[in-house]
């Protein structure tokens, strides 16, 4: 039987988009005006503490804005954080 999947969402509101369209302004929708990179490890650790990783395939996913449109330095930093959890075996991808 294939293990079920759990996705750990990391919300990077409105990153990668220079516009503030009324129908898509994620800063207003989420109430998060500035993304705090230092919160990412805590979000992942907290989420992992609630998941039986032996039972579920766990993935980290970045949502909000356009991930490929964010500054390369931020993108690489986020991917390095995720890679640490992959390398430790705590998440699959």
């Amino acid at each position: 039987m294939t293990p079920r999947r759990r996705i750990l969402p990391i919300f990077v509101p409105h990153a990668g988009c220079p516009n503030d369209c009324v129908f898509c302004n994620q800063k207003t929708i989420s109430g998060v005006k500035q993304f705090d990179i230092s919160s990412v490890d805590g979000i992942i650790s907290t989420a992992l503490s609630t998941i039986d990783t032996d039972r579920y395939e766990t993935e980290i996913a970045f949502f909000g804005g356009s991930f490929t449109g964010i500054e390369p330095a931020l993108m690489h930093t986020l991917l390095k954080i995720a890679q640490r959890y992959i390398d430790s075996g705590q998440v699959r991808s």
Side-chain angles (χ1 to χ4, degrees):
M1 182 171 144
T2 303
R4 294 183 356 186
R5 182 179 309 166
R6 293 292 182 255
I7 297 175
L8 307 181
I10 305 298
F11 190 58
V12 186
H14 220 69
C17 179
N19 303 310
D20 287 323
C21 301
V22 68
F23 58 85
C24 179
N25 188 326
Q26 296 169 1
K27 293 174 187 171
T28 300
I29 294 167
S30 70
V32 176
K33 302 299 181 200
Q34 185 68 32
F35 175 68
D36 181 10
I37 188 99
S38 66
S39 68
V40 174
D41 270 315
I43 292 167
I44 295 170
S45 295
T46 299
L48 283 172
S49 72
T50 68
I51 297 171
D52 180 353
T53 55
D54 292 329
R55 185 174 173 202
Y56 298 103
E57 288 183 353
T58 308
E59 301 175 0
I60 296 171
F62 299 101
F63 295 97
S66 173
F67 191 75
T68 58
I70 65 176
E71 296 175 20
L74 176 57
M75 182 189 312
H76 289 122
T77 300
L78 290 168
L79 292 172
K80 284 179 184 178
I81 292 170
Q83 189 65 50
R84 286 197 319 257
Y85 288 92
I86 294 167
D87 292 346
S88 72
Q90 293 176 282
V91 301
R92 179 176 163 261
S93 61

